[in-house]
Amino acid sequence: MHVNPLYAVLYVALGVLVIYRVVYKELRGTTLTRKSLVTIPIILVAVGVFTSLDALRTADTDELVLVGIDIVVLAVLGLLRSASTKLTAGGDTTFQKGS
């Protein structure tokens, strides 16, 4: 299988960004901003849609059902993860820390 080098660099950069955001910042804790709550999810959704467009165009019903199940499972995992985040009010901002 041949992978476009540009895509490989994009995947590595995205992986590093996600690891930094999810692991490092969640364990250390961060302040909440509108930008931080919206930017990463939009980037991840855009990359996911962009990379799966060709496959979704040719997918049959069974494959689309599996994609739908995958989206539901990921949404449930996201809700569970958000339930384990502690919010602390401090001054003019809110601080979040994963547990």
Side-chain angles (χ1 to χ4, degrees):
M1 182 168 113
H2 176 69
V3 176
N4 185 338
L6 182 61
Y7 286 156
V9 170
L10 178 65
Y11 292 145
V12 169
L14 186 62
V16 168
L17 178 65
V18 168
I19 288 172
Y20 170 73
R21 291 285 300 168
V22 172
V23 176
Y24 177 73
K25 285 191 139 194
E26 287 297 316
L27 292 176
R28 185 178 61 103
T30 58
T31 56
L32 285 179
T33 62
R34 287 186 183 138
K35 182 181 175 185
S36 69
L37 290 172
V38 174
T39 304
I40 292 295
I42 287 176
I43 290 171
L44 292 176
V45 167
V47 169
V49 168
F50 175 74
T51 58
S52 64
L53 278 178
D54 291 335
L56 288 176
R57 287 184 186 130
T58 60
D60 61 12
T61 305
D62 294 338
E63 292 169 334
L64 292 174
V65 167
L66 287 175
V67 169
I69 291 170
D70 185 41
I71 290 171
V72 170
V73 168
L74 291 174
V76 169
L77 289 174
L79 290 172
L80 292 173
R81 177 66 185 122
S82 68
S84 69
T85 301
K86 296 178 185 175
L87 299 176
T88 307
D92 295 338
T93 187
T94 303
F95 186 77
Q96 71 173 351
K97 184 173 183 183
S99 56

XYZ file of all heavy atoms in Angstrom:
743
model
N 0.841 -1.173 0.000
C 0.000 0.000 0.000
C 0.891 1.242 0.000
O 1.778 1.382 0.818
C -0.881 -0.019 1.248
C -1.817 1.134 1.326
S -3.044 0.885 2.608
C -2.556 2.147 3.735
N 0.630 2.136 -0.912
C 1.413 3.365 -1.032
C 0.674 4.505 -0.341
O -0.491 4.759 -0.603
C 1.628 3.711 -2.503
C 2.350 5.004 -2.697
N 3.671 5.156 -2.373
C 1.931 6.197 -3.159
C 4.033 6.406 -2.634
N 2.983 7.057 -3.123
N 1.374 5.172 0.581
C 0.792 6.307 1.297
C 1.484 7.572 0.827
O 2.711 7.642 0.776
C 0.967 6.140 2.827
C 0.447 7.351 3.567
C 0.288 4.882 3.305
N 0.698 8.554 0.485
C 1.223 9.844 0.084
C 2.049 10.419 1.240
O 1.577 10.485 2.377
C 0.051 10.768 -0.253
C 0.503 12.098 -0.804
O 1.625 12.543 -0.593
N -0.395 12.746 -1.526
N 3.304 10.835 0.990
C 4.147 11.375 2.071
C 3.519 12.563 2.793
O 3.704 12.730 3.994
C 5.438 11.789 1.362
C 5.459 10.997 0.112
C 4.024 10.763 -0.271
N 2.754 13.367 2.077
C 2.095 14.513 2.712
C 1.067 14.036 3.734
O 0.963 14.599 4.826
C 1.428 15.399 1.654
C 0.742 16.653 2.177
C 1.747 17.562 2.880
C 0.072 17.396 1.041
N 0.321 12.991 3.382
C -0.642 12.429 4.327
C 0.062 11.831 5.533
O -0.408 11.949 6.660
C -1.510 11.366 3.659
C -2.552 11.917 2.721
C -3.058 11.135 1.698
C -3.036 13.213 2.844
C -4.019 11.626 0.823
C -3.991 13.709 1.982
C -4.479 12.915 0.979
O -5.427 13.407 0.127
N 1.195 11.180 5.316
C 1.944 10.591 6.429
C 2.382 11.681 7.405
O 2.249 11.522 8.630
C 3.137 9.811 5.909
N 2.884 12.782 6.878
C 3.303 13.897 7.738
C 2.091 14.478 8.467
O 2.161 14.785 9.663
C 4.026 14.984 6.902
C 4.244 16.245 7.709
C 5.338 14.445 6.376
N 0.970 14.599 7.760
C -0.249 15.117 8.373
C -0.722 14.207 9.506
O -1.084 14.676 10.579
C -1.348 15.265 7.319
C -2.704 15.754 7.818
C -2.601 17.177 8.338
C -3.735 15.652 6.716
N -0.700 12.896 9.275
C -1.130 11.950 10.310
C -0.215 12.001 11.530
O -0.681 11.969 12.666
C -1.171 10.532 9.760
C -2.236 10.286 8.731
C -2.017 9.429 7.662
C -3.475 10.921 8.803
C -2.989 9.207 6.709
C -4.451 10.708 7.854
C -4.202 9.843 6.813
O -5.168 9.628 5.876
N 1.087 12.088 11.308
C 2.026 12.157 12.430
C 1.822 13.448 13.211
O 1.769 13.450 14.445
C 3.481 12.018 11.939
C 4.470 12.350 13.040
C 3.730 10.609 11.411
N 1.692 14.563 12.508
C 1.489 15.849 13.175
C 0.175 15.847 13.962
O 0.120 16.322 15.100
C 1.490 16.986 12.157
N -0.871 15.307 13.372
C -2.156 15.231 14.059
C -2.063 14.326 15.279
O -2.596 14.639 16.341
C -3.239 14.741 13.098
C -4.651 14.737 13.637
C -5.090 16.150 13.992
C -5.595 14.136 12.625
N -1.356 13.214 15.153
C -1.172 12.306 16.287
C -0.430 12.969 17.433
O -0.809 12.829 18.600
N 0.620 13.704 17.119
C 1.386 14.413 18.155
C 0.510 15.467 18.821
O 0.514 15.609 20.054
C 2.660 15.044 17.548
C 3.310 16.021 18.517
C 3.635 13.956 17.149
N -0.269 16.199 18.033
C -1.157 17.216 18.582
C -2.210 16.606 19.509
O -2.461 17.109 20.607
C -1.846 17.984 17.453
C -2.855 19.052 17.871
C -2.155 20.185 18.615
C -3.577 19.587 16.658
N -2.791 15.493 19.099
C -3.809 14.839 19.921
C -3.195 14.302 21.202
O -3.763 14.466 22.293
C -4.520 13.721 19.129
C -5.364 12.852 20.038
C -5.367 14.327 18.026
N -2.029 13.672 21.110
C -1.366 13.160 22.322
C -1.048 14.307 23.274
O -1.274 14.209 24.479
C -0.105 12.366 21.954
C -0.519 11.042 21.317
C 0.775 12.117 23.178
C 0.624 10.247 20.743
N -0.549 15.410 22.742
C -0.251 16.569 23.580
C -1.509 17.089 24.258
O -1.538 17.324 25.462
C 0.398 17.669 22.737
C 0.519 18.991 23.452
C 1.452 19.163 24.468
C -0.315 20.054 23.132
C 1.566 20.368 25.132
C -0.210 21.261 23.789
C 0.734 21.420 24.787
O 0.825 22.605 25.441
N -2.577 17.273 23.464
C -3.818 17.837 24.019
C -4.490 16.891 25.005
O -4.949 17.301 26.050
C -4.794 18.173 22.888
C -4.375 19.310 22.018
C -4.554 20.621 22.659
N -5.960 20.820 23.003
C -6.391 21.777 23.784
N -5.559 22.625 24.298
N -7.665 21.896 24.055
N -4.578 15.632 24.649
C -5.349 14.697 25.453
C -4.572 14.226 26.671
O -5.079 14.265 27.788
C -5.815 13.493 24.600
C -6.455 12.429 25.460
C -6.775 13.953 23.527
N -3.358 13.794 26.478
C -2.615 13.197 27.585
C -1.964 14.267 28.462
O -2.269 14.389 29.645
C -1.558 12.207 27.064
C -0.712 11.663 28.201
C -2.226 11.077 26.305
N -1.085 15.056 27.888
C -0.313 16.004 28.684
C -1.183 17.073 29.327
O -1.150 17.281 30.538
C 0.765 16.654 27.808
C 1.566 17.706 28.527
C 2.501 17.348 29.481
C 1.370 19.057 28.268
C 3.240 18.308 30.154
C 2.090 20.022 28.931
C 3.023 19.644 29.875
O 3.734 20.599 30.542
N -1.979 17.749 28.533
C -2.770 18.854 29.067
C -3.877 18.381 30.002
O -4.214 19.071 30.952
C -3.355 19.689 27.932
C -2.322 20.575 27.267
C -2.993 21.554 26.362
C -2.313 22.893 26.520
N -3.064 23.964 25.953
N -4.458 17.215 29.744
C -5.514 16.721 30.628
C -4.956 16.328 31.986
O -5.599 16.530 33.008
C -6.236 15.532 29.995
C -7.135 15.909 28.856
C -8.272 16.816 29.276
O -8.906 16.573 30.310
O -8.531 17.791 28.549
N -3.780 15.746 32.022
C -3.192 15.361 33.300
C -2.669 16.575 34.068
O -2.725 16.616 35.294
C -2.064 14.349 33.084
C -2.523 12.982 32.568
C -1.317 12.097 32.306
C -3.481 12.321 33.537
N -2.155 17.554 33.352
C -1.635 18.769 33.992
C -2.758 19.718 34.363
O -2.708 20.400 35.373
C -0.663 19.454 33.029
C 0.033 20.664 33.600
C 0.993 21.246 32.597
N 0.307 21.682 31.394
C 0.031 22.952 31.107
N 0.374 23.898 31.928
N -0.601 23.272 29.995
N -3.777 19.752 33.534
C -4.887 20.672 33.759
C -4.709 21.944 32.950
O -3.598 22.368 32.681
N -5.821 22.537 32.540
C -5.785 23.756 31.731
C -6.969 24.651 32.089
O -7.922 24.213 32.721
C -5.884 23.438 30.221
O -7.092 22.720 29.988
C -4.711 22.632 29.731
N -6.870 25.888 31.653
C -8.014 26.782 31.792
C -8.938 26.562 30.596
O -8.494 26.203 29.513
C -7.581 28.255 31.829
O -6.822 28.537 30.659
C -6.758 28.559 33.062
N -10.212 26.759 30.815
C -11.189 26.579 29.751
C -11.376 27.877 28.976
O -11.522 28.943 29.561
C -12.540 26.174 30.335
C -12.670 24.753 30.817
C -14.061 24.529 31.396
C -12.419 23.773 29.709
N -11.352 27.757 27.673
C -11.675 28.873 26.790
C -12.583 28.331 25.684
O -12.619 27.131 25.426
C -10.413 29.482 26.142
O -9.792 28.479 25.335
C -9.437 29.985 27.183
N -13.311 29.223 25.057
C -14.152 28.794 23.943
C -13.308 28.189 22.829
O -13.680 27.216 22.210
C -14.953 29.965 23.394
C -16.058 30.373 24.287
C -16.912 31.448 23.639
N -17.931 31.860 24.582
C -18.300 33.089 24.783
N -17.741 34.055 24.094
N -19.230 33.383 25.658
N -12.149 28.787 22.599
C -11.273 28.301 21.537
C -10.811 26.872 21.816
O -10.820 26.027 20.922
C -10.069 29.226 21.389
C -9.132 28.830 20.285
C -7.954 29.775 20.200
C -6.963 29.293 19.166
N -5.760 30.113 19.142
N -10.418 26.593 23.046
C -9.919 25.253 23.361
C -11.023 24.204 23.332
O -10.762 23.033 23.077
C -9.225 25.246 24.728
O -10.167 25.431 25.766
N -12.254 24.619 23.572
C -13.361 23.666 23.551
C -13.848 23.368 22.134
O -14.509 22.355 21.909
C -14.528 24.200 24.384
C -14.303 24.240 25.886
C -15.454 24.958 26.575
C -14.135 22.852 26.443
N -13.529 24.231 21.185
C -14.059 24.091 19.836
C -12.994 23.701 18.811
O -13.258 22.908 17.912
C -14.749 25.410 19.412
C -15.183 25.371 17.974
C -15.930 25.694 20.319
N -11.780 24.197 18.940
C -10.765 24.051 17.901
C -10.403 22.597 17.612
O -10.482 22.152 16.465
C -9.497 24.832 18.278
O -9.862 26.188 18.502
C -8.462 24.757 17.181
N -9.984 21.852 18.620
C -9.550 20.468 18.402
C -10.681 19.602 17.854
O -10.459 18.865 16.891
C -8.947 19.874 19.692
C -7.627 20.560 20.021
C -8.742 18.373 19.570
C -6.532 20.318 19.007
N -11.902 19.647 18.412
C -12.965 18.830 17.804
C -13.240 19.176 16.342
O -13.452 18.280 15.526
C -14.187 19.137 18.679
C -13.620 19.516 19.990
C -12.351 20.254 19.670
N -13.200 20.449 15.983
C -13.438 20.827 14.591
C -12.323 20.303 13.693
O -12.585 19.774 12.606
C -13.593 22.353 14.456
C -14.935 22.782 15.033
C -13.468 22.799 13.001
C -15.162 24.266 15.040
N -11.081 20.413 14.137
C -9.950 19.901 13.352
C -10.075 18.397 13.162
O -9.903 17.874 12.056
C -8.610 20.271 14.021
C -8.355 21.775 13.921
C -7.450 19.495 13.386
C -7.179 22.259 14.731
N -10.378 17.673 14.234
C -10.475 16.216 14.137
C -11.630 15.779 13.242
O -11.491 14.842 12.452
C -10.607 15.608 15.529
C -9.377 15.729 16.421
C -9.677 15.169 17.803
C -8.195 15.033 15.803
N -12.759 16.448 13.344
C -13.899 16.108 12.486
C -13.564 16.414 11.025
O -13.851 15.609 10.131
C -15.173 16.848 12.934
C -16.262 16.745 11.889
C -15.654 16.296 14.264
N -12.941 17.548 10.769
C -12.590 17.911 9.395
C -11.612 16.906 8.784
O -11.790 16.469 7.642
C -12.000 19.323 9.355
N -10.594 16.525 9.534
C -9.629 15.541 9.027
C -10.308 14.194 8.821
O -10.075 13.520 7.816
C -8.422 15.426 9.983
C -7.554 14.233 9.636
C -7.604 16.702 9.944
N -11.163 13.790 9.745
C -11.877 12.527 9.601
C -12.768 12.495 8.382
O -12.784 11.515 7.631
N -13.503 13.560 8.155
C -14.390 13.626 6.989
C -13.562 13.651 5.707
O -13.862 12.932 4.748
C -15.316 14.860 7.079
C -16.018 15.110 5.766
C -16.312 14.673 8.204
N -12.518 14.444 5.686
C -11.678 14.559 4.496
C -11.043 13.224 4.121
O -11.013 12.846 2.947
C -10.592 15.620 4.712
C -9.612 15.722 3.585
C -9.977 16.320 2.392
C -8.326 15.224 3.711
C -9.076 16.421 1.338
C -7.425 15.310 2.667
C -7.799 15.914 1.484
N -10.525 12.503 5.102
C -9.835 11.247 4.808
C -10.782 10.096 4.513
O -10.374 9.094 3.945
C -8.893 10.849 5.959
O -9.651 10.727 7.157
C -7.783 11.862 6.141
N -12.045 10.226 4.886
C -12.972 9.121 4.658
C -13.958 9.361 3.524
O -14.791 8.504 3.247
C -13.737 8.826 5.951
O -14.538 9.927 6.302
N -13.872 10.482 2.846
C -14.828 10.792 1.778
C -14.840 9.736 0.680
O -15.903 9.293 0.248
C -14.535 12.160 1.170
C -15.093 13.353 1.926
C -14.696 14.644 1.238
C -16.588 13.267 2.064
N -13.669 9.322 0.210
C -13.615 8.329 -0.866
C -14.229 7.011 -0.426
O -14.961 6.375 -1.180
C -12.171 8.106 -1.316
C -11.600 9.326 -2.028
O -12.402 10.110 -2.572
O -10.368 9.488 -2.032
N -13.933 6.585 0.792
C -14.469 5.317 1.281
C -15.976 5.400 1.498
O -16.699 4.442 1.233
C -13.773 4.921 2.572
N -16.462 6.529 1.986
C -17.896 6.662 2.231
C -18.709 6.697 0.935
O -19.848 6.244 0.911
C -18.180 7.917 3.066
C -17.756 7.844 4.528
C -17.996 9.192 5.204
C -18.487 6.739 5.253
N -18.119 7.221 -0.112
C -18.828 7.273 -1.399
C -19.104 5.881 -1.958
O -20.103 5.672 -2.631
C -18.026 8.081 -2.405
C -18.038 9.551 -2.130
C -17.311 10.314 -3.222
N -17.212 11.709 -2.847
C -16.093 12.415 -2.868
N -14.972 11.870 -3.287
N -16.084 13.673 -2.504
N -18.196 4.939 -1.697
C -18.341 3.591 -2.253
C -18.815 2.583 -1.219
O -18.873 1.394 -1.510
C -17.001 3.128 -2.846
O -16.012 3.111 -1.808
C -16.548 4.039 -3.969
N -19.142 3.036 -0.018
C -19.534 2.118 1.048
C -20.939 1.575 0.812
O -21.819 2.283 0.330
C -19.473 2.828 2.399
N -21.117 0.302 1.192
C -22.458 -0.269 1.116
C -23.181 -0.047 2.447
O -22.640 0.558 3.371
C -22.424 -1.749 0.725
C -21.654 -2.606 1.725
O -21.343 -2.124 2.818
O -21.386 -3.780 1.388
N -24.379 -0.540 2.550
C -25.216 -0.286 3.733
C -24.585 -0.828 5.002
O -24.597 -0.162 6.040
C -26.611 -0.911 3.536
O -27.160 -0.398 2.325
C -27.526 -0.566 4.689
N -24.034 -2.039 4.949
C -23.420 -2.628 6.146
C -22.261 -1.786 6.661
O -22.105 -1.589 7.872
C -22.928 -4.049 5.855
C -24.067 -5.004 5.573
O -25.206 -4.710 5.997
O -23.826 -6.053 4.929
N -21.453 -1.281 5.754
C -20.318 -0.449 6.161
C -20.776 0.878 6.754
O -20.196 1.361 7.738
C -19.399 -0.222 4.960
C -18.707 -1.488 4.505
C -18.018 -1.341 3.168
O -18.431 -0.483 2.361
O -17.066 -2.102 2.934
N -21.818 1.445 6.207
C -22.343 2.695 6.762
C -22.954 2.481 8.143
O -22.827 3.337 9.022
C -23.373 3.306 5.813
C -22.808 3.830 4.489
C -23.930 4.289 3.572
C -21.806 4.931 4.723
N -23.580 1.311 8.351
C -24.114 0.984 9.675
C -22.967 0.864 10.676
O -23.060 1.369 11.809
C -24.951 -0.316 9.628
C -25.249 -0.826 11.022
C -26.236 -0.086 8.858
N -21.869 0.229 10.283
C -20.711 0.120 11.177
C -20.115 1.482 11.499
O -19.707 1.735 12.636
C -19.653 -0.793 10.558
C -19.993 -2.279 10.560
C -18.931 -3.059 9.806
C -20.135 -2.805 11.978
N -20.079 2.377 10.523
C -19.588 3.737 10.779
C -20.518 4.436 11.769
O -20.064 5.118 12.697
C -19.466 4.538 9.462
C -19.229 6.012 9.745
C -18.344 3.987 8.623
N -21.818 4.269 11.603
C -22.775 4.862 12.535
C -22.607 4.317 13.948
O -22.640 5.078 14.924
N -22.412 2.997 14.068
C -22.187 2.395 15.387
C -20.906 2.942 15.998
O -20.854 3.249 17.197
C -22.154 0.859 15.276
C -23.546 0.329 14.925
C -21.637 0.229 16.559
C -23.566 -1.144 14.565
N -19.867 3.074 15.183
C -18.594 3.625 15.660
C -18.769 5.041 16.191
O -18.246 5.399 17.250
C -17.575 3.599 14.530
C -16.199 4.046 14.967
O -15.773 3.660 16.072
O -15.540 4.768 14.197
N -19.545 5.855 15.489
C -19.786 7.239 15.930
C -20.534 7.251 17.262
O -20.203 8.031 18.158
C -20.538 8.021 14.834
C -19.619 8.255 13.648
C -21.081 9.333 15.370
C -20.303 8.816 12.428
N -21.513 6.376 17.420
C -22.271 6.310 18.675
C -21.362 5.873 19.822
O -21.390 6.464 20.914
C -23.485 5.366 18.533
C -24.127 5.085 19.880
C -24.500 5.962 17.575
N -20.534 4.849 19.596
C -19.615 4.374 20.648
C -18.642 5.484 21.041
O -18.380 5.715 22.233
C -18.862 3.114 20.181
C -17.706 2.779 21.110
C -19.818 1.930 20.087
N -18.101 6.195 20.058
C -17.174 7.285 20.362
C -17.859 8.424 21.114
O -17.260 9.041 22.000
C -16.526 7.799 19.080
C -15.544 6.825 18.421
C -15.070 7.376 17.089
C -14.380 6.528 19.332
N -19.112 8.703 20.785
C -19.853 9.742 21.509
C -20.055 9.332 22.966
O -19.901 10.156 23.878
C -21.195 10.002 20.834
N -20.377 8.066 23.201
C -20.556 7.578 24.574
C -19.235 7.664 25.333
O -19.195 8.105 26.491
C -21.119 6.147 24.580
C -21.048 5.531 25.966
C -22.548 6.131 24.070
N -18.130 7.267 24.695
C -16.823 7.378 25.353
C -16.479 8.834 25.662
O -15.901 9.133 26.713
C -15.738 6.750 24.475
C -15.773 5.232 24.358
C -14.732 4.753 23.348
C -15.566 4.564 25.697
N -16.830 9.744 24.763
C -16.598 11.167 25.018
C -17.402 11.671 26.201
O -16.912 12.449 27.021
N -18.645 11.230 26.307
C -19.475 11.620 27.453
C -18.918 11.066 28.756
O -18.893 11.761 29.782
C -20.913 11.148 27.245
C -21.689 11.871 26.153
C -23.033 11.189 25.916
C -21.888 13.328 26.507
N -18.456 9.823 28.728
C -17.856 9.241 29.928
C -16.582 9.988 30.320
O -16.325 10.222 31.493
C -17.566 7.756 29.707
C -18.788 6.852 29.580
C -18.362 5.447 29.200
C -19.591 6.851 30.868
N -15.786 10.362 29.332
C -14.555 11.101 29.613
C -14.869 12.476 30.191
O -14.217 12.940 31.112
C -13.730 11.244 28.331
C -12.478 12.041 28.496
C -11.509 11.330 29.416
N -10.358 12.163 29.657
C -9.972 12.543 30.868
N -10.630 12.149 31.925
N -8.928 13.304 31.018
N -15.884 13.126 29.662
C -16.219 14.447 30.184
C -16.748 14.356 31.606
O -16.585 15.291 32.389
C -17.233 15.139 29.275
O -18.482 14.479 29.325
N -17.352 13.239 31.953
C -17.848 13.064 33.326
C -16.705 12.910 34.318
O -16.884 13.159 35.510
C -18.776 11.858 33.400
N -15.519 12.515 33.847
C -14.388 12.329 34.752
C -13.499 13.562 34.852
O -12.459 13.530 35.490
C -13.545 11.127 34.304
O -12.880 11.420 33.100
N -13.902 14.654 34.234
C -13.135 15.893 34.292
C -13.640 16.758 35.437
O -14.834 16.961 35.592
C -13.277 16.662 32.961
O -12.807 15.830 31.905
C -12.478 17.931 32.978
N -12.699 17.253 36.231
C -13.047 18.109 37.370
C -12.910 19.571 36.961
O -11.910 19.978 36.395
C -12.122 17.825 38.548
C -12.268 16.430 39.097
C -11.294 16.187 40.218
C -11.371 14.744 40.679
N -10.371 14.439 41.664
N -13.937 20.358 37.258
C -13.928 21.786 36.974
C -13.797 22.564 38.274
O -14.471 22.267 39.253
C -15.211 22.209 36.265
C -15.487 21.560 34.909
C -16.831 22.010 34.382
C -14.387 21.889 33.928
N -12.929 23.565 38.256
C -12.706 24.398 39.427
C -12.773 25.861 39.000
O -12.075 26.268 38.064
C -11.322 24.113 40.042
O -11.189 22.718 40.272
C -11.131 24.861 41.341
N -13.614 26.637 39.668
C -13.720 28.065 39.369
C -12.616 28.805 40.094
O -12.342 28.546 41.259
C -15.074 28.597 39.785
N -11.956 29.724 39.380
C -10.911 30.512 39.994
C -10.815 31.871 39.336
O -10.418 31.971 38.191
N -11.188 32.895 40.057
C -11.127 34.248 39.484
C -12.116 34.399 38.362
O -13.297 34.132 38.485
N -11.600 34.822 37.212
C -12.435 35.058 36.040
C -12.473 33.871 35.082
O -13.003 33.983 33.981
C -11.941 36.282 35.277
C -12.093 37.549 36.082
O -12.934 37.557 37.003
O -11.371 38.522 35.789
N -11.895 32.747 35.453
C -11.795 31.616 34.538
C -12.153 30.317 35.231
O -12.314 30.265 36.444
C -10.377 31.529 33.937
O -10.366 30.525 32.925
C -9.352 31.194 35.003
N -12.301 29.276 34.450
C -12.573 27.947 34.963
C -11.403 27.053 34.604
O -10.892 27.095 33.491
C -13.871 27.383 34.350
O -14.927 28.287 34.620
C -14.195 26.025 34.934
N -10.976 26.234 35.544
C -9.848 25.338 35.380
C -10.371 23.919 35.279
O -11.248 23.516 36.047
C -8.907 25.487 36.581
C -7.634 24.716 36.465
C -6.590 25.162 35.670
C -7.461 23.538 37.175
C -5.410 24.459 35.564
C -6.271 22.821 37.074
C -5.253 23.292 36.271
N -9.856 23.137 34.292
C -10.280 21.754 34.154
C -9.072 20.835 34.337
O -7.969 21.158 33.944
C -10.907 21.504 32.791
C -9.925 21.515 31.648
C -10.552 21.094 30.354
O -11.685 20.642 30.326
N -9.819 21.227 29.263
N -9.330 19.682 34.931
C -8.278 18.693 35.096
C -8.918 17.317 34.997
O -9.906 17.018 35.654
C -7.570 18.837 36.422
C -6.409 17.880 36.586
C -5.619 18.146 37.835
C -4.446 17.179 37.860
N -3.670 17.329 39.069
N -8.351 16.478 34.123
C -8.824 15.117 33.978
C -8.371 14.250 35.139
O -7.395 14.532 35.806
N -9.124 13.219 35.399
C -8.744 12.328 36.486
C -8.546 10.918 35.968
O -8.814 10.596 34.854
C -9.815 12.315 37.560
O -11.063 11.965 37.021
